[in-house]
Amino acid sequence: MTQPTAIGRLLAPSEPLRVLDAFCCIGGATCGYRLAFGPDCHITGVDIQAQPDYPGDAFHQGDAIDFIRAHGHEFDFIHASSPCQGEGAPTKGTNKARNAAIGRTYPRLIAPTRAVLEATGRPYAMENVAGSEVRKDIRLCGEQFGLAVLMHRYFELGGWTTARPAHPKHRGYVRGWRHGEYREGPYVAAYGEGGGKASVDEIRAAKRIDWSTDHRRLREALPPAYTEWIGRAYLTALAPGREAA
């Protein structure tokens, strides 16, 4: 369960929500919150890299943690998806020595991100992978939304809480090579390249993202259905009567 924090102001039904999407990439989370909060919400994205495909209302290129520290209090809801390369199993355990040998290092950003999020006093959702230090308040999976990608992701909720959704049984395998065996299945592998991994068109269809053709960023992007679910749950929990039409 989440720990309560100050949740900031609750808005009048006619007042648009101001949303920050930190570490926004191409804006998969942004588009989900747009669906949840309605077309009049104002969403700002921030990312260390330029994101020419970003579909929100405003974009700031820079360090997301610094931006939250300086401006997070100006928003009504904050989403943060810090890079997962330093968090998940592929960069831990047996691969740790191999990554060190090739000079590959990844920042661990969840703890400092949590610190600045909590300091804002605003409600937030922080997302990452299974092996990360994100508190596992909510688990979402593509099967819950009828997507052709599994992509399990965990969400830490700050300043609010909601019931955990049931995790549905998977319908089969992720298509592609695994341990020297090729398997067919209803899901595509939206990570890496080669070996049966999904193409640009397949990832776009699987995640329901139609505004970018950047293969790497498409692989990294959250399916909008995930944050649409989070956004609607937030409205139900803290702001009844503000549900998007």
Side-chain angles (χ1 to χ4, degrees):
M1 299 296 289
T2 62
Q3 300 299 314
T5 63
I7 62 173
R9 64 193 187 110
L10 291 180
L11 305 181
S14 60
E15 194 172 356
L17 280 165
R18 299 171 303 185
V19 180
L20 176 62
D21 183 358
F23 310 95
C24 64
C25 190
I26 59 172
T30 287
C31 285
Y33 287 118
R34 179 85 69 199
L35 292 169
F37 295 151
D40 293 333
C41 70
H42 189 281
I43 308 180
T44 298
V46 58
D47 200 280
I48 196 70
Q49 298 180 342
Q51 300 292 343
D53 294 336
Y54 180 69
D57 300 294
F59 175 78
H60 174 82
Q61 183 175 354
D63 184 275
I65 293 175
D66 288 345
F67 190 88
I68 296 170
R69 183 182 295 112
H71 301 286
H73 64 282
E74 300 169 9
F75 295 88
D76 302 300
F77 186 90
I78 304 173
H79 174 92
S81 291
S82 59
C84 64
Q85 290 89 344
E87 305 295 341
T91 54
K92 295 181 180 179
T94 57
N95 285 331
K96 183 176 181 180
R98 180 178 63 83
N99 288 323
I102 61 177
R104 180 182 294 165
T105 59
Y106 298 101
R108 304 294 298 276
L109 299 178
I110 289 175
T113 300
R114 179 187 293 116
V116 294
L117 287 170
E118 291 180 344
T120 68
R122 300 304 192 191
Y124 69 81
M126 183 165 54
E127 171 270 330
N128 220 281
V129 297
S132 74
E133 297 175 358
V134 159
R135 194 172 59 243
K136 310 303 190 291
D137 295 330
I138 298 292
R139 177 174 67 169
L140 296 181
C141 163
E143 180 61 25
Q144 292 169 263
F145 309 104
L147 302 181
V149 63
L150 289 178
M151 196 174 181
H152 295 100
R153 290 295 183 269
Y154 292 81
F155 293 79
E156 174 177 324
L157 309 182
W160 65 289
T161 189
T162 191
R164 295 178 179 178
H167 185 255
K169 182 179 179 180
H170 298 166
R171 291 172 287 127
Y173 296 112
V174 176
R175 188 202 71 198
W177 289 94
R178 185 172 178 82
H179 304 306
E181 179 183 357
Y182 186 87
R183 291 173 169 172
E184 291 290 350
Y187 313 107
V188 299
Y191 50 85
E193 296 181 272
K197 303 297 192 301
S199 67
V200 165
D201 287 344
E202 287 172 331
I203 299 175
R204 281 163 55 95
K207 292 187 176 183
R208 298 176 188 165
I209 292 176
D210 61 5
W211 63 89
S212 178
T213 57
D214 187 308
H215 193 263
R216 179 177 64 82
R217 287 180 168 89
L218 282 166
R219 300 196 310 261
E220 296 173 350
L222 273 180
Y226 288 24
T227 47
E228 181 181 3
W229 189 96
I230 293 290
R232 291 186 184 278
Y234 166 71
L235 290 181
T236 299
L238 286 188
R242 291 190 54 86
E243 291 84 351

